[in-house]
Amino acid sequence: MKPIERPDLGGPFPENIAIIMDGNGRWAKERGMRRVFGHKAGIDSVREITTECASMGVKSLTLYAFSVENWKRPRVEIRYLMRLLRRFLIDERPTLMENGVRLKAIGRIDSLPQDARDALHETEELTRENTGLVLRLALAYGARTELADAVRKLAKDVSAGALDADLIDDETLRQYLYDPEMSDPDLLVRTAGELRLSNFLLWQVSYSEIHIARCCWPDFRKPQLLDAMKDYATRVRKYGGLVMDHAPARERA
Ligand code: FPP
């Protein structure tokens, strides 16, 4: 694993980052190409952002790669995205290993095509012992679906007597989400200038700082990642409380 080099952001470092990768289609259209070429170009950004996050010592990066709503897209685009996903999961194995990245997935994984699921399972197994960045791909993911799936499991445990309904709190609910080990994102980035959450990690982003990048995902590279991190470093996080007097002056401003 390569040595970690944290950039000086002039403020707190975002340990957990989540990204809504938007604008692949627009990027391609602007260049007179078909939408799918935007998705293909988006893979280069996924690779660069993953390796940069790993080398900066980011703990967790969660990428919105395919939403439950994306099943409504034309069949040909879905098929292309699934093929791209499978190829990514196979081709990126050496890069993931070299950078100590552990790959995980969240979402309704059972709804993916079998060959993509196999490649996903094998990459998860291969990278299981890696101790650096955890790269989570949100696949066939929707936050409302995640909450519905969680509540269904939780209700079954309550009716089986395995869980006391009176003791349910935030942390209990977290245990029923797709990946209970996932920390809440410090920083949520969305590309292509849109100001929406699009059903992504609604429970987990309750107190995330949001950064909107104007560029489309295929143009989101290391400089844009650093801009997002620097923007985060200027934020004052109060979680509904007050900033304490002993905080550095910059935070009290
Ligand atoms: C949004 O762009 C992007 C997606 C729906 C898919 C994201 C997928 C990739 C970056 C490539 C595959 C990733 C992995 C990890 C294998 P859009 O198509 O909605 O763009 P538009 O809003 O301009 O139409």
Side-chain angles (χ1 to χ4, degrees), residues 206-223:
S206 299
Y207 280 101
S208 303
E209 297 295 328
I210 301 176
H211 173 88
I212 305 294
R214 293 180 67 84
C215 69
C216 293
W217 174 249
D219 288 331
F220 190 87
R221 299 302 175 95
K222 184 179 180 183

Side-chain angles (χ1 to χ4, degrees), residues 98-119:
E98 234 170 77
N99 290 279
V101 178
R102 178 175 182 188
L103 185 123
K104 293 179 106 181
I106 53 171
R108 284 202 168 159
I109 304 307
D110 289 352
S111 66
L112 299 174
Q114 186 65 51
D115 59 353
R117 262 154 52 195
D118 290 345

Side-chain angles (χ1 to χ4, degrees), residues 20-29 35-36 38-46 63-67 70 73 77 80-89 103 135 137-139 190-192 194 196 216-218:
I20 302 174
M21 307 183 288
D22 195 15
N24 292 348
R26 269 163 283 176
W27 184 91
K29 289 270 164 211
R35 295 175 48 79
V36 291
H39 297 316
K40 189 164 182 279
I43 292 287
D44 295 332
S45 294
V46 171
L63 300 177
Y64 205 3
F66 192 83
S67 72
N70 287 155
R73 292 196 175 197
E77 184 169 338
Y80 187 91
L81 278 168
M82 292 300 143
R83 274 209 306 266
L84 207 57
L85 170 65
R86 180 175 166 275
R87 277 261 56 93
F88 171 83
L89 291 166
L103 185 123
L135 170 64
L137 297 182
L139 297 166
R190 181 166 188 147
T191 60
E194 304 291 348
R196 281 190 298 280
C216 293
W217 174 249

Side-chain angles (χ1 to χ4, degrees), residues 101-161:
V101 178
R102 178 175 182 188
L103 185 123
K104 293 179 106 181
I106 53 171
R108 284 202 168 159
I109 304 307
D110 289 352
S111 66
L112 299 174
Q114 186 65 51
D115 59 353
R117 262 154 52 195
D118 290 345
L120 176 62
H121 181 66
E122 283 161 25
T123 308
E124 282 180 325
E125 282 306 308
L126 178 75
T127 62
R128 182 174 293 278
E129 303 297 326
N130 287 348
T131 55
L133 174 76
V134 179
L135 170 64
R136 284 187 185 80
L137 297 182
L139 297 166
Y141 178 87
R144 289 180 172 185
T145 314
E146 175 173 39
L147 292 173
D149 289 348
V151 170
R152 191 178 318 104
K153 279 191 279 171
L154 187 147
K156 282 182 184 166
D157 279 354
V158 170
S159 58

Side-chain angles (χ1 to χ4, degrees), residues 43-94:
I43 292 287
D44 295 332
S45 294
V46 171
R47 184 183 311 108
E48 181 165 324
I49 296 307
T50 302
T51 48
E52 288 302 332
C53 283
S55 74
M56 291 180 200
V58 171
K59 286 189 182 146
S60 149
L61 172 67
T62 305
L63 300 177
Y64 205 3
F66 192 83
S67 72
V68 278
E69 288 80 14
N70 287 155
W71 291 119
K72 291 187 261 179
R73 292 196 175 197
R75 223 168 357 160
V76 59
E77 184 169 338
I78 295 174
R79 207 174 313 134
Y80 187 91
L81 278 168
M82 292 300 143
R83 274 209 306 266
L84 207 57
L85 170 65
R86 180 175 166 275
R87 277 261 56 93
F88 171 83
L89 291 166
I90 295 170
D91 295 349
E92 298 305 316
R93 284 173 191 163

